[in-house]
PDB file of all heavy atoms in Angstrom:
ATOM      1  N   VAL A 158     -38.854  19.479 -26.558  1.00 94.00           N
ATOM      2  CA  VAL A 158     -37.921  18.726 -27.394  1.00 94.00           C
ATOM      3  C   VAL A 158     -37.163  17.761 -26.484  1.00 94.00           C
ATOM      4  O   VAL A 158     -36.454  18.178 -25.565  1.00 94.00           O
ATOM      5  CB  VAL A 158     -36.936  19.656 -28.113  1.00 94.00           C
ATOM      6  CG1 VAL A 158     -35.916  18.845 -28.897  1.00 94.00           C
ATOM      7  CG2 VAL A 158     -37.685  20.605 -29.030  1.00 94.00           C
ATOM      8  N   PHE A 159     -37.330  16.476 -26.726  1.00 96.00           N
ATOM      9  CA  PHE A 159     -36.746  15.447 -25.872  1.00 96.00           C
ATOM     10  C   PHE A 159     -35.542  14.801 -26.537  1.00 96.00           C
ATOM     11  O   PHE A 159     -35.566  14.494 -27.731  1.00 96.00           O
ATOM     12  CB  PHE A 159     -37.769  14.352 -25.580  1.00 96.00           C
ATOM     13  CG  PHE A 159     -38.427  14.465 -24.225  1.00 96.00           C
ATOM     14  CD1 PHE A 159     -39.543  15.259 -24.054  1.00 96.00           C
ATOM     15  CD2 PHE A 159     -37.922  13.780 -23.135  1.00 96.00           C
ATOM     16  CE1 PHE A 159     -40.160  15.370 -22.830  1.00 96.00           C
ATOM     17  CE2 PHE A 159     -38.526  13.884 -21.897  1.00 96.00           C
ATOM     18  CZ  PHE A 159     -39.647  14.674 -21.739  1.00 96.00           C
ATOM     19  N   THR A 160     -34.506  14.567 -25.740  1.00 96.00           N
ATOM     20  CA  THR A 160     -33.411  13.705 -26.155  1.00 96.00           C
ATOM     21  C   THR A 160     -33.431  12.480 -25.262  1.00 96.00           C
ATOM     22  O   THR A 160     -33.468  12.597 -24.037  1.00 96.00           O
ATOM     23  CB  THR A 160     -32.047  14.401 -26.030  1.00 96.00           C
ATOM     24  OG1 THR A 160     -32.006  15.531 -26.913  1.00 96.00           O
ATOM     25  CG2 THR A 160     -30.911  13.449 -26.398  1.00 96.00           C
ATOM     26  N   VAL A 161     -33.429  11.309 -25.887  1.00 97.00           N
ATOM     27  CA  VAL A 161     -33.394  10.050 -25.146  1.00 97.00           C
ATOM     28  C   VAL A 161     -31.953   9.555 -25.134  1.00 97.00           C
ATOM     29  O   VAL A 161     -31.332   9.400 -26.188  1.00 97.00           O
ATOM     30  CB  VAL A 161     -34.315   8.991 -25.781  1.00 97.00           C
ATOM     31  CG1 VAL A 161     -34.277   7.699 -24.970  1.00 97.00           C
ATOM     32  CG2 VAL A 161     -35.743   9.509 -25.876  1.00 97.00           C
ATOM     33  N   PHE A 162     -31.425   9.318 -23.943  1.00 96.00           N
ATOM     34  CA  PHE A 162     -30.081   8.779 -23.792  1.00 96.00           C
ATOM     35  C   PHE A 162     -30.204   7.287 -23.493  1.00 96.00           C
ATOM     36  O   PHE A 162     -30.788   6.890 -22.480  1.00 96.00           O
ATOM     37  CB  PHE A 162     -29.339   9.470 -22.652  1.00 96.00           C
ATOM     38  CG  PHE A 162     -28.984  10.904 -22.940  1.00 96.00           C
ATOM     39  CD1 PHE A 162     -29.914  11.923 -22.758  1.00 96.00           C
ATOM     40  CD2 PHE A 162     -27.705  11.241 -23.390  1.00 96.00           C
ATOM     41  CE1 PHE A 162     -29.595  13.246 -23.022  1.00 96.00           C
ATOM     42  CE2 PHE A 162     -27.369  12.563 -23.648  1.00 96.00           C
ATOM     43  CZ  PHE A 162     -28.326  13.571 -23.472  1.00 96.00           C
ATOM     44  N   ALA A 163     -29.680   6.464 -24.383  1.00 94.00           N
ATOM     45  CA  ALA A 163     -29.756   5.013 -24.217  1.00 94.00           C
ATOM     46  C   ALA A 163     -28.596   4.366 -24.944  1.00 94.00           C
ATOM     47  O   ALA A 163     -28.310   4.719 -26.093  1.00 94.00           O
ATOM     48  CB  ALA A 163     -31.081   4.480 -24.759  1.00 94.00           C
ATOM     49  N   VAL A 164     -27.937   3.436 -24.297  1.00 88.00           N
ATOM     50  CA  VAL A 164     -26.797   2.750 -24.916  1.00 88.00           C
ATOM     51  C   VAL A 164     -26.990   1.244 -24.817  1.00 88.00           C
ATOM     52  O   VAL A 164     -27.795   0.734 -24.050  1.00 88.00           O
ATOM     53  CB  VAL A 164     -25.465   3.149 -24.240  1.00 88.00           C
ATOM     54  CG1 VAL A 164     -25.200   4.634 -24.402  1.00 88.00           C
ATOM     55  CG2 VAL A 164     -25.468   2.788 -22.756  1.00 88.00           C
ATOM     56  N   GLU A 165     -26.239   0.544 -25.654  1.00 86.00           N
ATOM     57  CA  GLU A 165     -26.205  -0.915 -25.678  1.00 86.00           C
ATOM     58  C   GLU A 165     -27.605  -1.516 -25.758  1.00 86.00           C
ATOM     59  O   GLU A 165     -28.370  -1.187 -26.654  1.00 86.00           O
ATOM     60  CB  GLU A 165     -25.406  -1.426 -24.473  1.00 86.00           C
ATOM     61  CG  GLU A 165     -23.949  -0.972 -24.509  1.00 86.00           C
ATOM     62  CD  GLU A 165     -23.140  -1.422 -23.319  1.00 86.00           C
ATOM     63  OE1 GLU A 165     -23.712  -1.971 -22.360  1.00 86.00           O
ATOM     64  OE2 GLU A 165     -21.914  -1.205 -23.342  1.00 86.00           O
ATOM     65  N   GLU A 166     -27.980  -2.388 -24.799  1.00 88.00           N
ATOM     66  CA  GLU A 166     -29.250  -3.103 -24.950  1.00 88.00           C
ATOM     67  C   GLU A 166     -30.475  -2.209 -24.814  1.00 88.00           C
ATOM     68  O   GLU A 166     -31.578  -2.603 -25.193  1.00 88.00           O
ATOM     69  CB  GLU A 166     -29.350  -4.262 -23.945  1.00 88.00           C
ATOM     70  CG  GLU A 166     -29.677  -3.861 -22.524  1.00 88.00           C
ATOM     71  CD  GLU A 166     -28.449  -3.584 -21.667  1.00 88.00           C
ATOM     72  OE1 GLU A 166     -27.336  -3.492 -22.231  1.00 88.00           O
ATOM     73  OE2 GLU A 166     -28.601  -3.466 -20.442  1.00 88.00           O
ATOM     74  N   SER A 167     -30.301  -1.008 -24.290  1.00 92.00           N
ATOM     75  CA  SER A 167     -31.427  -0.088 -24.158  1.00 92.00           C
ATOM     76  C   SER A 167     -31.717   0.679 -25.440  1.00 92.00           C
ATOM     77  O   SER A 167     -32.748   1.347 -25.549  1.00 92.00           O
ATOM     78  CB  SER A 167     -31.164   0.919 -23.024  1.00 92.00           C
ATOM     79  OG  SER A 167     -31.056   0.263 -21.783  1.00 92.00           O
ATOM     80  N   TYR A 168     -30.796   0.589 -26.424  1.00 94.00           N
ATOM     81  CA  TYR A 168     -30.969   1.387 -27.637  1.00 94.00           C
ATOM     82  C   TYR A 168     -32.211   0.971 -28.426  1.00 94.00           C
ATOM     83  O   TYR A 168     -32.984   1.831 -28.863  1.00 94.00           O
ATOM     84  CB  TYR A 168     -29.735   1.279 -28.538  1.00 94.00           C
ATOM     85  CG  TYR A 168     -29.960   1.909 -29.890  1.00 94.00           C
ATOM     86  CD1 TYR A 168     -30.020   3.291 -30.030  1.00 94.00           C
ATOM     87  CD2 TYR A 168     -30.150   1.125 -31.025  1.00 94.00           C
ATOM     88  CE1 TYR A 168     -30.252   3.877 -31.263  1.00 94.00           C
ATOM     89  CE2 TYR A 168     -30.374   1.701 -32.265  1.00 94.00           C
ATOM     90  CZ  TYR A 168     -30.430   3.073 -32.375  1.00 94.00           C
ATOM     91  OH  TYR A 168     -30.672   3.644 -33.595  1.00 94.00           O
ATOM     92  N   LEU A 169     -32.411  -0.317 -28.643  1.00 95.00           N
ATOM     93  CA  LEU A 169     -33.538  -0.762 -29.469  1.00 95.00           C
ATOM     94  C   LEU A 169     -34.892  -0.353 -28.888  1.00 95.00           C
ATOM     95  O   LEU A 169     -35.720   0.188 -29.623  1.00 95.00           O
ATOM     96  CB  LEU A 169     -33.469  -2.271 -29.689  1.00 95.00           C
ATOM     97  CG  LEU A 169     -32.383  -2.751 -30.659  1.00 95.00           C
ATOM     98  CD1 LEU A 169     -32.401  -4.270 -30.770  1.00 95.00           C
ATOM     99  CD2 LEU A 169     -32.568  -2.122 -32.040  1.00 95.00           C
ATOM    100  N   PRO A 170     -35.160  -0.587 -27.591  1.00 96.00           N
ATOM    101  CA  PRO A 170     -36.440  -0.101 -27.066  1.00 96.00           C
ATOM    102  C   PRO A 170     -36.564   1.417 -27.126  1.00 96.00           C
ATOM    103  O   PRO A 170     -37.648   1.951 -27.381  1.00 96.00           O
ATOM    104  CB  PRO A 170     -36.468  -0.613 -25.627  1.00 96.00           C
ATOM    105  CG  PRO A 170     -35.095  -1.059 -25.315  1.00 96.00           C
ATOM    106  CD  PRO A 170     -34.458  -1.418 -26.606  1.00 96.00           C
ATOM    107  N   ALA A 171     -35.449   2.135 -26.937  1.00 96.00           N
ATOM    108  CA  ALA A 171     -35.485   3.601 -27.015  1.00 96.00           C
ATOM    109  C   ALA A 171     -35.789   4.062 -28.435  1.00 96.00           C
ATOM    110  O   ALA A 171     -36.597   4.977 -28.656  1.00 96.00           O
ATOM    111  CB  ALA A 171     -34.155   4.184 -26.544  1.00 96.00           C
ATOM    112  N   ARG A 172     -35.152   3.424 -29.427  1.00 96.00           N
ATOM    113  CA  ARG A 172     -35.380   3.773 -30.827  1.00 96.00           C
ATOM    114  C   ARG A 172     -36.823   3.478 -31.237  1.00 96.00           C
ATOM    115  O   ARG A 172     -37.448   4.264 -31.956  1.00 96.00           O
ATOM    116  CB  ARG A 172     -34.415   2.952 -31.689  1.00 96.00           C
ATOM    117  CG  ARG A 172     -34.454   3.223 -33.194  1.00 96.00           C
ATOM    118  CD  ARG A 172     -33.894   4.571 -33.531  1.00 96.00           C
ATOM    119  NE  ARG A 172     -34.924   5.600 -33.612  1.00 96.00           N
ATOM    120  CZ  ARG A 172     -34.691   6.889 -33.676  1.00 96.00           C
ATOM    121  NH1 ARG A 172     -33.453   7.340 -33.662  1.00 96.00           N
ATOM    122  NH2 ARG A 172     -35.682   7.763 -33.767  1.00 96.00           N
ATOM    123  N   ASP A 173     -37.349   2.359 -30.751  1.00 96.00           N
ATOM    124  CA  ASP A 173     -38.732   1.996 -31.045  1.00 96.00           C
ATOM    125  C   ASP A 173     -39.699   3.037 -30.489  1.00 96.00           C
ATOM    126  O   ASP A 173     -40.631   3.472 -31.174  1.00 96.00           O
ATOM    127  CB  ASP A 173     -39.030   0.614 -30.454  1.00 96.00           C
ATOM    128  CG  ASP A 173     -40.480   0.199 -30.641  1.00 96.00           C
ATOM    129  OD1 ASP A 173     -40.863  -0.110 -31.783  1.00 96.00           O
ATOM    130  OD2 ASP A 173     -41.230   0.182 -29.645  1.00 96.00           O
ATOM    131  N   LEU A 174     -39.478   3.462 -29.243  1.00 97.00           N
ATOM    132  CA  LEU A 174     -40.340   4.491 -28.636  1.00 97.00           C
ATOM    133  C   LEU A 174     -40.255   5.793 -29.418  1.00 97.00           C
ATOM    134  O   LEU A 174     -41.278   6.420 -29.714  1.00 97.00           O
ATOM    135  CB  LEU A 174     -39.926   4.727 -27.185  1.00 97.00           C
ATOM    136  CG  LEU A 174     -40.653   5.881 -26.476  1.00 97.00           C
ATOM    137  CD1 LEU A 174     -42.116   5.532 -26.243  1.00 97.00           C
ATOM    138  CD2 LEU A 174     -39.969   6.226 -25.155  1.00 97.00           C
ATOM    139  N   ALA A 175     -39.025   6.210 -29.751  1.00 96.00           N
ATOM    140  CA  ALA A 175     -38.841   7.477 -30.462  1.00 96.00           C
ATOM    141  C   ALA A 175     -39.541   7.450 -31.814  1.00 96.00           C
ATOM    142  O   ALA A 175     -40.190   8.429 -32.212  1.00 96.00           O
ATOM    143  CB  ALA A 175     -37.352   7.759 -30.639  1.00 96.00           C
ATOM    144  N   ASN A 176     -39.441   6.345 -32.539  1.00 96.00           N
ATOM    145  CA  ASN A 176     -40.100   6.236 -33.849  1.00 96.00           C
ATOM    146  C   ASN A 176     -41.609   6.417 -33.728  1.00 96.00           C
ATOM    147  O   ASN A 176     -42.231   7.121 -34.524  1.00 96.00           O
ATOM    148  CB  ASN A 176     -39.790   4.881 -34.488  1.00 96.00           C
ATOM    149  CG  ASN A 176     -38.357   4.785 -34.991  1.00 96.00           C
ATOM    150  OD1 ASN A 176     -37.685   5.799 -35.165  1.00 96.00           O
ATOM    151  ND2 ASN A 176     -37.888   3.571 -35.212  1.00 96.00           N
ATOM    152  N   ARG A 177     -42.193   5.772 -32.740  1.00 95.00           N
ATOM    153  CA  ARG A 177     -43.646   5.843 -32.590  1.00 95.00           C
ATOM    154  C   ARG A 177     -44.104   7.230 -32.149  1.00 95.00           C
ATOM    155  O   ARG A 177     -45.144   7.727 -32.601  1.00 95.00           O
ATOM    156  CB  ARG A 177     -44.121   4.773 -31.603  1.00 95.00           C
ATOM    157  CG  ARG A 177     -44.024   3.356 -32.176  1.00 95.00           C
ATOM    158  CD  ARG A 177     -44.648   2.337 -31.245  1.00 95.00           C
ATOM    159  NE  ARG A 177     -43.847   2.145 -30.049  1.00 95.00           N
ATOM    160  CZ  ARG A 177     -44.293   1.512 -28.961  1.00 95.00           C
ATOM    161  NH1 ARG A 177     -45.521   1.047 -28.917  1.00 95.00           N
ATOM    162  NH2 ARG A 177     -43.499   1.346 -27.919  1.00 95.00           N
ATOM    163  N   LEU A 178     -43.316   7.872 -31.286  1.00 96.00           N
ATOM    164  CA  LEU A 178     -43.684   9.225 -30.853  1.00 96.00           C
ATOM    165  C   LEU A 178     -43.485  10.236 -31.981  1.00 96.00           C
ATOM    166  O   LEU A 178     -44.239  11.204 -32.105  1.00 96.00           O
ATOM    167  CB  LEU A 178     -42.863   9.622 -29.623  1.00 96.00           C
ATOM    168  CG  LEU A 178     -43.202   8.866 -28.332  1.00 96.00           C
ATOM    169  CD1 LEU A 178     -42.256   9.279 -27.203  1.00 96.00           C
ATOM    170  CD2 LEU A 178     -44.649   9.116 -27.909  1.00 96.00           C
ATOM    171  N   GLN A 179     -42.468  10.014 -32.805  1.00 95.00           N
ATOM    172  CA  GLN A 179     -42.270  10.883 -33.963  1.00 95.00           C
ATOM    173  C   GLN A 179     -43.451  10.778 -34.917  1.00 95.00           C
ATOM    174  O   GLN A 179     -43.862  11.775 -35.526  1.00 95.00           O
ATOM    175  CB  GLN A 179     -40.968  10.509 -34.671  1.00 95.00           C
ATOM    176  CG  GLN A 179     -39.712  10.926 -33.922  1.00 95.00           C
ATOM    177  CD  GLN A 179     -38.459  10.282 -34.474  1.00 95.00           C
ATOM    178  OE1 GLN A 179     -38.502   9.569 -35.480  1.00 95.00           O
ATOM    179  NE2 GLN A 179     -37.329  10.505 -33.809  1.00 95.00           N
ATOM    180  N   ASN A 180     -44.024   9.598 -35.045  1.00 93.00           N
ATOM    181  CA  ASN A 180     -45.202   9.412 -35.898  1.00 93.00           C
ATOM    182  C   ASN A 180     -46.416  10.172 -35.376  1.00 93.00           C
ATOM    183  O   ASN A 180     -47.354  10.454 -36.125  1.00 93.00           O
ATOM    184  CB  ASN A 180     -45.549   7.924 -36.016  1.00 93.00           C
ATOM    185  CG  ASN A 180     -44.560   7.167 -36.873  1.00 93.00           C
ATOM    186  OD1 ASN A 180     -43.844   7.756 -37.678  1.00 93.00           O
ATOM    187  ND2 ASN A 180     -44.484   5.861 -36.685  1.00 93.00           N
ATOM    188  N   LEU A 181     -46.373  10.508 -34.074  1.00 94.00           N
ATOM    189  CA  LEU A 181     -47.459  11.304 -33.495  1.00 94.00           C
ATOM    190  C   LEU A 181     -47.143  12.796 -33.527  1.00 94.00           C
ATOM    191  O   LEU A 181     -47.916  13.609 -33.028  1.00 94.00           O
ATOM    192  CB  LEU A 181     -47.726  10.869 -32.052  1.00 94.00           C
ATOM    193  CG  LEU A 181     -48.208   9.420 -31.847  1.00 94.00           C
ATOM    194  CD1 LEU A 181     -48.463   9.163 -30.353  1.00 94.00           C
ATOM    195  CD2 LEU A 181     -49.460   9.129 -32.660  1.00 94.00           C
ATOM    196  N   GLY A 182     -45.990  13.149 -34.085  1.00 93.00           N
ATOM    197  CA  GLY A 182     -45.643  14.559 -34.244  1.00 93.00           C
ATOM    198  C   GLY A 182     -44.763  15.143 -33.168  1.00 93.00           C
ATOM    199  O   GLY A 182     -44.575  16.368 -33.122  1.00 93.00           O
ATOM    200  N   TYR A 183     -44.192  14.309 -32.302  1.00 95.00           N
ATOM    201  CA  TYR A 183     -43.373  14.836 -31.208  1.00 95.00           C
ATOM    202  C   TYR A 183     -41.896  14.861 -31.594  1.00 95.00           C
ATOM    203  O   TYR A 183     -41.440  14.072 -32.422  1.00 95.00           O
ATOM    204  CB  TYR A 183     -43.585  14.006 -29.939  1.00 95.00           C
ATOM    205  CG  TYR A 183     -45.010  14.101 -29.447  1.00 95.00           C
ATOM    206  CD1 TYR A 183     -45.896  13.042 -29.613  1.00 95.00           C
ATOM    207  CD2 TYR A 183     -45.483  15.272 -28.861  1.00 95.00           C
ATOM    208  CE1 TYR A 183     -47.220  13.141 -29.200  1.00 95.00           C
ATOM    209  CE2 TYR A 183     -46.802  15.385 -28.443  1.00 95.00           C
ATOM    210  CZ  TYR A 183     -47.660  14.312 -28.621  1.00 95.00           C
ATOM    211  OH  TYR A 183     -48.965  14.420 -28.216  1.00 95.00           O
ATOM    212  N   HIS A 184     -41.159  15.787 -30.968  1.00 93.00           N
ATOM    213  CA  HIS A 184     -39.744  15.993 -31.279  1.00 93.00           C
ATOM    214  C   HIS A 184     -38.889  15.148 -30.337  1.00 93.00           C
ATOM    215  O   HIS A 184     -38.543  15.576 -29.237  1.00 93.00           O
ATOM    216  CB  HIS A 184     -39.379  17.474 -31.160  1.00 93.00           C
ATOM    217  CG  HIS A 184     -40.221  18.366 -32.022  1.00 93.00           C
ATOM    218  ND1 HIS A 184     -40.066  18.421 -33.392  1.00 93.00           N
ATOM    219  CD2 HIS A 184     -41.225  19.216 -31.715  1.00 93.00           C
ATOM    220  CE1 HIS A 184     -40.947  19.289 -33.898  1.00 93.00           C
ATOM    221  NE2 HIS A 184     -41.662  19.776 -32.901  1.00 93.00           N
ATOM    222  N   ILE A 185     -38.555  13.961 -30.780  1.00 95.00           N
ATOM    223  CA  ILE A 185     -37.794  13.017 -29.973  1.00 95.00           C
ATOM    224  C   ILE A 185     -36.587  12.527 -30.769  1.00 95.00           C
ATOM    225  O   ILE A 185     -36.729  12.076 -31.909  1.00 95.00           O
ATOM    226  CB  ILE A 185     -38.645  11.777 -29.591  1.00 95.00           C
ATOM    227  CG1 ILE A 185     -39.992  12.198 -28.998  1.00 95.00           C
ATOM    228  CG2 ILE A 185     -37.881  10.867 -28.639  1.00 95.00           C
ATOM    229  CD1 ILE A 185     -39.936  12.740 -27.608  1.00 95.00           C
ATOM    230  N   SER A 186     -35.410  12.622 -30.183  1.00 94.00           N
ATOM    231  CA  SER A 186     -34.210  12.067 -30.820  1.00 94.00           C
ATOM    232  C   SER A 186     -33.525  11.128 -29.822  1.00 94.00           C
ATOM    233  O   SER A 186     -33.747  11.224 -28.615  1.00 94.00           O
ATOM    234  CB  SER A 186     -33.240  13.176 -31.246  1.00 94.00           C
ATOM    235  OG  SER A 186     -32.787  13.902 -30.118  1.00 94.00           O
ATOM    236  N   VAL A 187     -32.702  10.225 -30.340  1.00 96.00           N
ATOM    237  CA  VAL A 187     -32.016   9.250 -29.491  1.00 96.00           C
ATOM    238  C   VAL A 187     -30.513   9.429 -29.611  1.00 96.00           C
ATOM    239  O   VAL A 187     -29.971   9.440 -30.719  1.00 96.00           O
ATOM    240  CB  VAL A 187     -32.391   7.801 -29.882  1.00 96.00           C
ATOM    241  CG1 VAL A 187     -31.658   6.805 -28.984  1.00 96.00           C
ATOM    242  CG2 VAL A 187     -33.897   7.588 -29.785  1.00 96.00           C
ATOM    243  N   ASN A 188     -29.853   9.598 -28.473  1.00 93.00           N
ATOM    244  CA  ASN A 188     -28.394   9.635 -28.437  1.00 93.00           C
ATOM    245  C   ASN A 188     -27.920   8.288 -27.901  1.00 93.00           C
ATOM    246  O   ASN A 188     -28.171   7.955 -26.741  1.00 93.00           O
ATOM    247  CB  ASN A 188     -27.902  10.770 -27.545  1.00 93.00           C
ATOM    248  CG  ASN A 188     -26.390  10.919 -27.597  1.00 93.00           C
ATOM    249  OD1 ASN A 188     -25.666  10.109 -27.041  1.00 93.00           O
ATOM    250  ND2 ASN A 188     -25.910  11.947 -28.270  1.00 93.00           N
ATOM    251  N   SER A 189     -27.255   7.515 -28.739  1.00 90.00           N
ATOM    252  CA  SER A 189     -26.887   6.151 -28.357  1.00 90.00           C
ATOM    253  C   SER A 189     -25.385   5.907 -28.341  1.00 90.00           C
ATOM    254  O   SER A 189     -24.947   4.785 -28.109  1.00 90.00           O
ATOM    255  CB  SER A 189     -27.542   5.148 -29.322  1.00 90.00           C
ATOM    256  OG  SER A 189     -27.079   5.363 -30.641  1.00 90.00           O
ATOM    257  N   VAL A 190     -24.584   6.949 -28.580  1.00 89.00           N
ATOM    258  CA  VAL A 190     -23.122   6.792 -28.628  1.00 89.00           C
ATOM    259  C   VAL A 190     -22.527   7.334 -27.335  1.00 89.00           C
ATOM    260  O   VAL A 190     -22.592   8.548 -27.084  1.00 89.00           O
ATOM    261  CB  VAL A 190     -22.525   7.532 -29.838  1.00 89.00           C
ATOM    262  CG1 VAL A 190     -21.013   7.320 -29.891  1.00 89.00           C
ATOM    263  CG2 VAL A 190     -23.189   7.067 -31.128  1.00 89.00           C
ATOM    264  N   PRO A 191     -21.976   6.476 -26.488  1.00 88.00           N
ATOM    265  CA  PRO A 191     -21.453   6.944 -25.202  1.00 88.00           C
ATOM    266  C   PRO A 191     -20.472   8.102 -25.312  1.00 88.00           C
ATOM    267  O   PRO A 191     -20.492   9.031 -24.509  1.00 88.00           O
ATOM    268  CB  PRO A 191     -20.778   5.690 -24.624  1.00 88.00           C
ATOM    269  CG  PRO A 191     -21.496   4.550 -25.255  1.00 88.00           C
ATOM    270  CD  PRO A 191     -21.831   5.017 -26.646  1.00 88.00           C
ATOM    271  N   SER A 192     -19.615   8.057 -26.325  1.00 88.00           N
ATOM    272  CA  SER A 192     -18.584   9.094 -26.460  1.00 88.00           C
ATOM    273  C   SER A 192     -19.154  10.470 -26.787  1.00 88.00           C
ATOM    274  O   SER A 192     -18.480  11.481 -26.593  1.00 88.00           O
ATOM    275  CB  SER A 192     -17.576   8.691 -27.537  1.00 88.00           C
ATOM    276  OG  SER A 192     -18.229   8.530 -28.793  1.00 88.00           O
ATOM    277  N   SER A 193     -20.387  10.515 -27.291  1.00 92.00           N
ATOM    278  CA  SER A 193     -20.974  11.801 -27.662  1.00 92.00           C
ATOM    279  C   SER A 193     -22.049  12.269 -26.687  1.00 92.00           C
ATOM    280  O   SER A 193     -22.602  13.364 -26.848  1.00 92.00           O
ATOM    281  CB  SER A 193     -21.583  11.725 -29.063  1.00 92.00           C
ATOM    282  OG  SER A 193     -22.719  10.868 -29.073  1.00 92.00           O
ATOM    283  N   SER A 194     -22.368  11.464 -25.682  1.00 93.00           N
ATOM    284  CA  SER A 194     -23.476  11.824 -24.796  1.00 93.00           C
ATOM    285  C   SER A 194     -23.166  13.058 -23.957  1.00 93.00           C
ATOM    286  O   SER A 194     -24.045  13.892 -23.713  1.00 93.00           O
ATOM    287  CB  SER A 194     -23.840  10.645 -23.882  1.00 93.00           C
ATOM    288  OG  SER A 194     -22.756  10.286 -23.060  1.00 93.00           O
ATOM    289  N   VAL A 195     -21.922  13.205 -23.520  1.00 94.00           N
ATOM    290  CA  VAL A 195     -21.555  14.374 -22.714  1.00 94.00           C
ATOM    291  C   VAL A 195     -21.657  15.651 -23.541  1.00 94.00           C
ATOM    292  O   VAL A 195     -22.214  16.659 -23.092  1.00 94.00           O
ATOM    293  CB  VAL A 195     -20.137  14.210 -22.132  1.00 94.00           C
ATOM    294  CG1 VAL A 195     -19.651  15.530 -21.526  1.00 94.00           C
ATOM    295  CG2 VAL A 195     -20.119  13.118 -21.077  1.00 94.00           C
ATOM    296  N   SER A 196     -21.132  15.631 -24.769  1.00 95.00           N
ATOM    297  CA  SER A 196     -21.208  16.819 -25.624  1.00 95.00           C
ATOM    298  C   SER A 196     -22.662  17.144 -25.966  1.00 95.00           C
ATOM    299  O   SER A 196     -23.040  18.320 -26.073  1.00 95.00           O
ATOM    300  CB  SER A 196     -20.387  16.613 -26.899  1.00 95.00           C
ATOM    301  OG  SER A 196     -20.840  15.478 -27.620  1.00 95.00           O
TER     302      SER A 196
END
């Protein structure tokens, strides 16, 4: 189970990757909010 940490300009490429990997059945989520990344 992968969590991708990406903020600002890195969010769109990270979201694009996660969407495509999810379509292949993999467990990928994106955390893009700096204030919540530590938690």
Side-chain angles (χ1 to χ4, degrees):
V158 176
F159 260 86
T160 297
V161 181
F162 290 82
V164 298
E165 297 178 352
E166 77 270 11
S167 297
Y168 171 73
L169 287 179
R172 183 70 266 168
D173 176 72
L174 174 69
N176 287 342
R177 289 187 289 166
L178 291 176
Q179 287 167 4
N180 288 339
L181 297 182
Y183 296 106
H184 304 287
I185 310 286
S186 62
V187 180
N188 186 286
S189 62
V190 182
S192 60
S193 68
S194 61
V195 169
S196 58

